[in-house]
Amino acid sequence: MYSQGLIGADGSSEETQEFLDAFQARIDAEEKIEPTDPMPEGYRRTLVRQIGQHAHSEIVGMLPEGNWITRAPSLKRKLALLAKVQDEGGHGLYLYSAAETLGVTREQMTEELLDGSAKYSSIFNYPTLSWADMGAVGWLVDGAAIMNQIPLCRCSYGPYARAMIRVCAEESFHQRQGYEIMLTLCKGTEAQKEMAQDALNRLWWPCLMMFGPHDGDSAHSEQSMKWKIKRFSNDALRDKFISATVRQAEFLGLTVPDPDLKWDDSLNDGKGGYRHGEIDWTEFWRVVKGDGVMNVERIAMRKAAWDDGAWVREAAMAFAEKEKQRTAKVAA
Ligand SMILES: [Fe+2]
Ligand SMILES: [Fe+2]
């Protein structure tokens, strides 16, 4: 009666075929899966991994920009950047909470991030060298995040899908504030425009890598699509991002650093699309595996922030405990 159910890239477990079929039928009927619902172990583990990586990316993603808050060129820029970085912290907390509904704890996830065993988006292991990078990060990195996350609002797992709705609204503000920084620089002096072009040159390729390996090399893609965790493949999302972004670069008067980039009418069933040059996957894997310019520094900064915040966590716990005792006394 028990079959070895193939339940995705995380391995397999003993689950009846009837159980797996019934689960798939719920997914196919576009029902949301909630924390207390039965689910295949592979579905749960895939989500723990994906939501965990997503949460870590939001948290580490605060660092390259937090770095520029004190150096923002005006009060208006400082306020917007501060608000953006705070939003990213909020996204991380939302997502840790969503992952916790699947049976992992935030402490576990934090430990994995700090001991270097957890993955997060490779883009955050690149340095932010000038103010223009704040523009390019908002425009490109948050722009890529939106492409990735809008379809996640329809993810089959309820808590993840619901978290994404607010997150996407905020990402859209982030993208606009970044693009507006770029626009200001591109309308400014020659030196400012050069700074904007330099930021685009350095961040373009790492941004394309954010969408992950080509579909054929993406281990978890097919099962994730079947379970409707993912709605579009890595390559499809990357193409969408390129199509939207190239036009924005043209409007800025900037050049996308890809000599092989060209429009091809025959792509996307005749709707057309851009062909792009070869992505350096060796660099991608090197950075993912810990050897990017900033990997060590980012984790060290994150660890310092976590350690510095220990007293806040302790105070909050002590306060919660006091409140609990007070409520118990009133009830007694
Ligand atoms: Fe975010
Ligand atoms: Fe963002």
Side-chain angles (χ1 to χ4, degrees):
M1 158 122 194
Y2 278 83
S3 63
Q4 187 75 12
L6 266 183
I7 53 166
D10 292 292
S12 56
S13 68
E14 298 283 329
E15 279 159 6
T16 64
Q17 196 55 50
E18 289 92 321
F19 171 76
L20 294 172
D21 290 347
F23 182 76
Q24 190 60 47
R26 291 194 62 196
I27 299 279
D28 293 343
E30 297 288 335
E31 279 180 39
K32 286 276 179 267
I33 308 301
E34 298 298 338
T36 50
D37 292 348
M39 63 184 82
E41 181 59 11
Y43 179 83
R44 191 187 69 80
R45 273 192 266 159
T46 301
L47 279 164
V48 165
R49 186 189 58 244
Q50 183 172 331
I51 302 174
Q53 286 179 9
H54 192 164
H56 296 324
S57 301
E58 301 282 356
I59 294 295
V60 179
M62 288 193 282
L63 299 171
E65 291 178 287
N67 208 14
W68 277 91
I69 291 172
T70 54
R71 292 177 285 168
S74 71
L75 181 61
K76 182 186 123 189
R77 294 296 187 203
K78 198 188 289 280
L79 285 172
L81 187 60
L82 189 59
K84 178 194 191 288
V85 172
Q86 282 178 330
D87 284 353
E88 306 301 7
H91 298 172
L93 298 186
Y94 258 27
L95 288 162
Y96 283 131
S97 300
E100 281 188 314
T101 65
L102 292 155
V104 276
T105 65
R106 187 173 161 202
E107 286 71 22
Q108 260 171 283
M109 289 182 278
T110 302
E111 233 167 72
E112 284 170 11
L113 176 65
L114 298 182
D115 72 17
S117 60
K119 290 204 174 71
Y120 56 87
S121 181
S122 54
I123 189 74
F124 300 122
N125 290 315
Y126 289 83
T128 42
L129 301 177
S130 78
W131 172 251
D133 288 21
M134 295 305 96
V137 166
W139 171 35
L140 301 172
V141 178
D142 292 87
I146 292 169
M147 283 296 169
N148 254 319
Q149 289 170 187
I150 292 275
L152 289 174
C153 297
R154 294 191 296 123
C155 166
S156 58
Y157 189 57
Y160 194 23
R162 289 189 290 272
M164 278 303 109
I165 293 170
R166 174 162 176 183
V167 167
C168 281
E170 292 179 348
E171 296 302 357
S172 142
F173 154 70
H174 301 166
Q175 197 268 353
R176 282 173 212 188
Q177 69 89 38
Y179 193 71
E180 207 260 330
I181 291 173
M182 294 302 269
L183 200 55
T184 306
L185 291 171
C186 290
K187 285 197 289 195
T189 64
E190 212 33 58
Q192 285 174 314
K193 195 168 175 187
E194 269 170 35
M195 208 161 86
Q197 180 65 57
D198 173 62
L200 173 59
N201 292 349
R202 283 181 288 103
L203 289 166
W204 175 255
W205 292 103
C207 272
L208 296 193
M209 293 175 198
M210 278 176 74
F211 294 92
H214 282 313
D215 297 344
D217 305 322
S218 178
H220 309 294
S221 253
E222 209 179 310
Q223 183 63 66
S224 283
M225 301 260 289
K226 200 171 164 216
W227 276 330
K228 298 189 179 173
I229 294 172
K230 271 173 87 155
R231 295 278 176 163
F232 295 97
S233 74
N234 295 353
D235 285 330
L237 289 169
R238 186 165 20 241
D239 288 348
K240 262 174 185 262
F241 171 77
I242 293 173
S243 291
T245 313
V246 168
R247 276 170 229 160
Q248 293 164 353
E250 281 165 2
F251 186 78
L252 292 172
L254 297 178
T255 309
V256 172
D258 178 359
D260 297 322
L261 188 77
K262 56 174 181 294
W263 182 261
D264 183 339
D265 278 331
S266 70
L267 292 177
N268 297 321
D269 301 323
K271 281 187 235 127
Y274 283 96
R275 285 193 187 280
H276 61 81
E278 195 56 45
I279 294 171
D280 184 354
W281 292 112
T282 319
E283 174 178 319
F284 172 74
W285 288 115
R286 188 171 54 73
V287 177
V288 166
K289 287 178 182 153
D291 195 22
V293 181
M294 298 301 283
N295 294 60
V296 173
E297 190 173 318
R298 295 284 190 246
I299 293 301
M301 276 179 79
R302 184 60 211 142
K303 187 167 177 352
W306 180 254
D307 292 345
D308 282 352
W311 71 272
V312 179
R313 292 190 297 278
E314 275 164 29
M317 295 302 282
F319 179 73
E321 189 53 41
K322 238 186 212 170
E323 282 287 276
K324 209 165 90 189
Q325 282 170 12
R326 212 173 286 152
T327 319
K329 226 182 250 170
V330 172

